[in-house]
Amino acid sequence: MPPTVIEKLRARYFDERLNQGDYIILLEASEPEIRRAEPSLMRGGIYDWSIYSGAPVSPASSRTLV
């Protein structure tokens, strides 16, 4: 299946961030573990993350904090 416009925009966003010297970190955890980790992520200066399940992501399950 070809990428959607949103997927292309998200890929471009990550490409721009990587070109600025930022990092991409992938973590695998349960949703409760992720919720417990959110304060630590924010304290660590990580302000942009998304939560994905193994199923296709809907806007309701994706989260970006800025």
Side-chain angles (χ1 to χ4, degrees), residues 21-62:
D22 292 338
Y23 299 91
I24 293 177
I25 300 171
L26 302 174
L27 304 172
E28 185 175 346
S30 67
E31 189 162 342
E33 291 170 321
I34 293 168
R35 298 288 173 229
R36 285 194 306 271
E38 285 179 349
S40 295
L41 294 171
M42 293 174 70
R43 278 193 307 273
I46 300 171
Y47 62 90
D48 187 0
W49 70 83
S50 297
I51 299 171
Y52 300 97
S53 68
V57 177
S58 68
S61 64
S62 178

Side-chain angles (χ1 to χ4, degrees), residues 4-6 9-10 12-13 16 18 21 27 39 42 45-46 48 51 53-57 59 61 64:
T4 66
V5 172
I6 293 172
L9 290 172
R10 195 73 175 149
R12 185 178 314 154
Y13 169 77
E16 290 171 1
L18 288 169
L27 304 172
M42 293 174 70
I46 300 171
D48 187 0
I51 299 171
S53 68
V57 177
S61 64
T64 302

